[in-house]
Amino acid sequence: MAYFEPDEVDAMLKSIDRTTDSWRRDYALFALMFNTGARVQEVLDLQVRDVRTEPPHQVRLRGKGGKIRLCPIWPHTAALLRELAQQSAQTIAPEAFLFTNRHGAKLTRFGVRYLLKKYVAAGTPAANTMREKRLHPHSLRHATAVHLLKAGVDFATISQWLGHATLNTTMVYARVDLDIKRQALAQVFPEVLASPRAGHLSPAAVDVVDWLKRL
């Protein structure tokens, strides 16, 4: 599962030149995706009336099966969306789509993938770890889930946040968290977890591996 680390998100966003309307749109788009963990289509379907830019800041997302959920957003994200909605007279209409192309039509999933690929490439010199990953728009959703999990947020809350139909879907991120713990343990006890030379595990290694399996 490829996901963005915080420094990688920062490098990607900082690679976006915000001096034009289209670039400001791109910045707001990816900042919102990381903030909410929303699916690409959920973000593209957002209309001006779905965004609350006054406290409490939030967006109304339409998920799979037409299910509606409210997702909180940071004040900074709200300010970006407010600026985006006021860029042109066309987007002032409540039913207007928030993220549009230069012709006023709704952005497509293909367009979002193209833009992210461009900005990841531009941000890679500042975060070289992105070079080793196959990052795509859904990677931002994964990043939100992993960061919430690492922050100690419970699975039920994360499931509601992401709009999962069942808690089982959310539990896939438990494996990611387990892998992170294993990597951290390997850094602390590298000699214990190292491959045995003679094909046999030492008693200490057996204890550690058994403990890992029970995590």
Side-chain angles (χ1 to χ4, degrees), residues 171-196:
M171 292 301 292
V172 70
Y173 294 106
R175 176 59 185 272
V176 177
D177 188 50
L178 180 58
D179 290 340
I180 293 171
K181 292 176 181 176
R182 286 193 175 115
Q183 293 170 14
L185 191 66
Q187 293 174 4
V188 177
F189 304 111
E191 70 286 350
V192 176
L193 296 182
S195 300

Side-chain angles (χ1 to χ4, degrees), residues 7 38 46 68 88 117 147 171 175 199 201 206 210:
D7 64 314
L46 275 176
I68 303 294
S88 68
K117 182 178 180 180
H147 298 326
M171 292 301 292
R175 176 59 185 272
L201 290 174
V206 171
D210 182 61

Side-chain angles (χ1 to χ4, degrees), residues 98-127:
L98 197 59
F99 296 102
T100 58
N101 59 26
R102 68 183 66 180
H103 304 295
K106 184 168 65 173
L107 276 180
T108 65
R109 295 168 61 91
F110 175 80
V112 174
R113 178 177 286 270
Y114 166 80
L115 290 171
L116 183 64
K117 182 178 180 180
K118 179 176 68 172
Y119 295 127
V120 165
T124 295

Side-chain angles (χ1 to χ4, degrees), residues 15-29 80 83-84 87-88 100 102 115 118-119:
S15 73
I16 304 175
D17 183 350
R18 297 164 62 187
T19 58
T20 69
D21 287 348
S22 61
W23 290 333
R24 283 191 288 270
R25 174 207 62 194
D26 298 346
Y27 188 93
L29 170 68
L80 292 172
E83 179 183 1
L84 181 65
Q87 277 183 183
S88 68
T100 58
R102 68 183 66 180
L115 290 171
K118 179 176 68 172
Y119 295 127

